[in-house]
Amino acid sequence: MRQPQSDKGVTWEELFFDLAFVFAVTQITAELFAHHDLIGVIEALILFISMYWAWVGVTIYANQRDIGNVRDRVVIFTLGFGNLVLALAIPGAFDDRGLLYGLGYLIIRVLLAGFALNNFREWRGFFIGPYGVGAVISGPLLLIGGIVDGDHRLWLWALASAIDIFSPLVLRRQLARFRVRPVHYTHRYGLLLILVLGESVVQVGAVASSLPLSWDRMIAVAGAYALACGLWWAYFIHGLWAFRRAVVQSEGHSDVRRAILLYAHLGFSCGIIVISVGLAEVVRTPASGMRAGDAALLYGGSALFLGTFAYTHWTLHRTVAWRRLLAAGACLIFFPVATMIPALAALVTLAVVIIVVNVVEQAILRRHGAGRFSGIGPYRPDGVGTEADAETDGGMRIGPGREADAADTGPVVSD
């Protein structure tokens, strides 16, 4: 595949496409809030995986093209409408809207693959590339699953999700041909996290605004917002900049991209979604003890979020990110305690864990003389990475970073 010649910023067309994706995430979170038993969690995960893979496909499509033209603009708008249809089908996806969801997903994947196929000579790449699996395997499975009922739908859709997840591993040699514009590509994943974090704030606000605003509920809202800020800090100050630098400088370009962007951000996003449901439950009943399922979502989601950082650190360094791994372990250890104390106290305890990790990592950066922060990471006028780059759990010790830091200007939106 032709390698993109220059990098670029995120376009307004992509941001418009994301509006429908945000609505879909809101629908999934609402369903999980209403049904967050084990089956509800599995169903929400299956739905989010399909939405996530469609989002990834559109991101790759936009990354490989300069989409500021009428044709590609219409393509993005059309795919965005497809996402809107999927979002509308989510509340009844495992009931009477299963066919609409399966058909909508298949149409998105077929259209995306067709639009990406510039000429017939690329047909082999179509079947083994990032578009073909969804168009010819997982998409039809979702359609068939939408036709059948009950457990058959659940199993077929779970199989489709597994195929989407593992196909980049199976096809890793073929996908190694693809190169991305790293600033654009990593900014898109950063925006994904912003969207999911923003939805968690919306979920908390929606629950709080529908109930009396007592003092303990207002404290719970403040605690939920502080926790969301802590998650933002952990990712955008100590994570995203290093992920992009890894994509730019790593020799195993496609392997790094798959591990720390495709898979890790699925983990980050799922963690935040389940955290948002736990936060909403705390805001709903701040003075009551948390039920085990609610505590599992809140503390388990936080452990998943922090543990995903440990996974990315191991992928890049083959060393253990002790601070975030210990914080993830603390979330799991405190989980039983959370069911014995008021929900507000459980939330405050969790927020303290996240904030302490950020404070410690910030102190390490300052001790090593890191420069001021730009939009996505430490900035130094000379453009050379510091020892603090590797001290934070998101950092990567891969040598001087002049090219990477030169583009470290924060989220970029271009015409």
Side-chain angles (χ1 to χ4, degrees):
M1 182 175 183
R2 179 176 57 88
Q3 182 173 347
Q5 296 300 312
S6 61
D7 222 316
K8 63 176 183 175
V10 175
T11 63
W12 299 114
E13 291 85 351
E14 293 168 271
L15 296 180
F16 189 78
F17 167 85
D18 286 342
L19 295 177
F21 181 79
V22 170
F23 179 49
V25 174
T26 300
Q27 293 281 74
I28 291 174
T29 305
E31 286 296 296
L32 186 56
F33 183 70
H35 311 285
H36 50 265
D37 55 4
L38 180 59
I39 295 298
V41 171
I42 293 174
E43 291 178 351
L45 177 62
I46 289 173
L47 293 175
F48 181 73
I49 287 173
S50 60
M51 295 295 305
Y52 177 77
W53 242 257
W55 180 91
V56 169
V58 173
T59 294
I60 295 175
Y61 180 89
N63 183 269
Q64 300 295 306
R65 287 167 167 75
D66 295 319
I67 62 174
N69 57 77
V70 173
R71 176 188 181 274
D72 285 318
R73 189 171 293 129
V74 172
V75 167
I76 297 297
F77 288 169
T78 302
L79 296 173
F81 179 73
N83 258 5
L84 181 60
V85 172
L86 288 186
L88 294 173
I90 284 173
F94 287 92
D95 193 8
D96 59 343
R97 298 182 184 177
L99 178 58
L100 178 62
Y101 190 88
L103 181 61
Y105 182 79
L106 177 60
I107 290 175
I108 288 176
R109 299 312 299 259
V110 170
L111 287 177
L112 184 59
F115 291 139
L117 191 64
N118 289 325
N119 56 68
F120 188 73
R121 287 177 297 178
E122 298 179 358
W123 68 270
R124 293 183 62 185
F126 164 79
F127 285 109
I128 65 175
Y131 308 108
V133 171
V136 301
I137 302 179
S138 59
L141 280 175
L142 259 75
L143 176 61
I144 296 171
I147 297 173
V148 301
D149 295 321
D151 292 342
H152 295 93
R153 178 178 301 174
L154 182 65
W155 284 108
L156 282 172
W157 284 8
L159 176 60
S161 297
I163 290 172
D164 278 338
I165 289 175
F166 290 108
S167 60
L169 279 175
V170 175
L171 301 174
R172 60 186 180 274
R173 291 186 178 180
Q174 292 84 352
L175 295 178
R177 299 182 300 116
F178 288 82
R179 291 294 182 266
V180 299
R181 292 160 164 155
V183 172
H184 171 270
Y185 199 59
T186 50
H187 279 175
R188 287 297 292 152
Y189 281 91
L191 287 170
L192 170 69
L193 265 289
I194 282 288
L195 297 176
V196 180
L197 278 170
E199 196 285 326
S200 69
V201 175
V202 170
Q203 180 76 4
V204 167
V207 172
S209 63
S210 65
L211 298 169
L213 298 178
S214 58
W215 67 268
D216 55 347
R217 182 162 290 115
M218 289 302 297
I219 294 175
V221 170
Y225 187 74
L227 179 60
C229 290
L231 298 176
W232 179 95
W233 198 285
Y235 178 84
F236 285 96
I237 300 303
H238 299 166
L240 180 58
W241 65 273
F243 298 156
R244 187 184 62 77
R245 184 175 294 173
V247 172
V248 170
Q249 298 185 356
S250 173
E251 293 182 1
H253 186 83
S254 61
D255 291 336
V256 169
R257 187 175 72 230
R258 180 180 61 251
I260 67 176
L261 293 180
L262 184 64
Y263 288 148
H265 283 72
L266 178 61
F268 287 136
S269 301
C270 289
I272 294 171
I273 287 173
V274 297
I275 288 171
S276 69
V277 176
L279 290 175
E281 287 290 352
V282 172
V283 170
R284 188 173 67 86
T285 57
S288 302
M290 295 193 74
R291 294 175 297 182
D294 300 336
L297 292 177
L298 184 59
Y299 278 76
S302 299
L304 174 59
F305 184 85
L306 293 166
T308 302
F309 276 108
Y311 157 73
T312 61
H313 191 83
W314 176 263
T315 300
L316 298 177
H317 306 292
R318 291 297 186 265
T319 58
V320 178
W322 288 110
R323 287 182 295 278
R324 297 200 178 188
L325 195 60
L326 288 174
C331 292
L332 298 178
I333 292 173
F334 289 151
F335 158 63
V337 179
T339 62
M340 306 175 189
I341 58 179
L344 180 56
L347 171 58
V348 171
T349 301
L350 179 59
V352 168
V353 171
I354 302 295
I355 291 172
V356 165
V357 172
N358 287 329
V359 168
V360 170
E361 293 185 345
Q362 187 72 21
I364 291 173
L365 285 173
R366 289 185 178 277
R367 187 173 73 243
H368 285 269
R372 66 178 176 87
F373 286 109
S374 69
I376 55 174
Y379 168 85
R380 292 181 59 84
D382 59 5
V384 179
T386 67
E387 287 297 310
D389 296 349
E391 282 293 328
T392 58
D393 287 339
M396 183 176 185
R397 192 190 303 273
I398 51 179
R402 292 184 182 274
E403 178 185 358
D405 286 340
D408 236 343
T409 56
V412 176
V413 177
S414 65
D415 291 323

